[in-house]
Amino acid sequence: MTTLTVNIIDEKDLSVLQEILNRFGLTYKVDSGSDHIFSKSEIDSLLQTRQDYVEGKTTAREWTDIERDLNSAFN
């Protein structure tokens, strides 16, 4: 068995690809999102960070820090 992973940008393309796979008799699984579920503490931390920024208690974060956090959550 071989697994093929395809990242579909345009949602309209999904139905076309599914039709092709069905015509070939291939089985497939559609994963339309991340399985990561944010904990209450993660959500609370995000909301607190936002509030601190709005109140001028902190500055914006560097993109590299944000990207690292996102990668750890989704990879």
Side-chain angles (χ1 to χ4, degrees):
M1 181 172 93
T2 301
T3 300
L4 172 66
T5 302
V6 179
N7 297 316
I8 299 173
I9 305 299
D10 189 342
E11 193 67 28
K12 294 182 285 184
D13 294 338
L14 177 59
S15 61
V16 174
L17 182 57
Q18 286 177 307
E19 181 62 30
I20 292 169
L21 294 172
N22 290 336
R23 287 184 185 202
F24 279 102
L26 298 171
T27 59
Y28 58 90
K29 178 179 125 184
V30 177
D31 180 10
S32 59
S34 170
D35 293 333
H36 182 80
I37 298 173
F38 290 97
S39 68
K40 178 163 177 20
S41 64
E42 289 172 318
I43 293 169
D44 290 345
S45 175
L46 176 62
L47 292 173
Q48 184 61 52
T49 300
R50 179 185 178 276
Q51 188 63 34
D52 289 345
Y53 179 76
V54 168
E55 293 174 359
K57 295 178 182 176
T58 187
T59 59
R61 295 173 57 200
E62 292 291 324
W63 172 247
T64 54
D65 293 337
I66 296 168
E67 186 176 31
R68 183 187 66 240
D69 289 348
L70 289 171
N71 285 334
S72 69
F74 293 103
N75 292 323

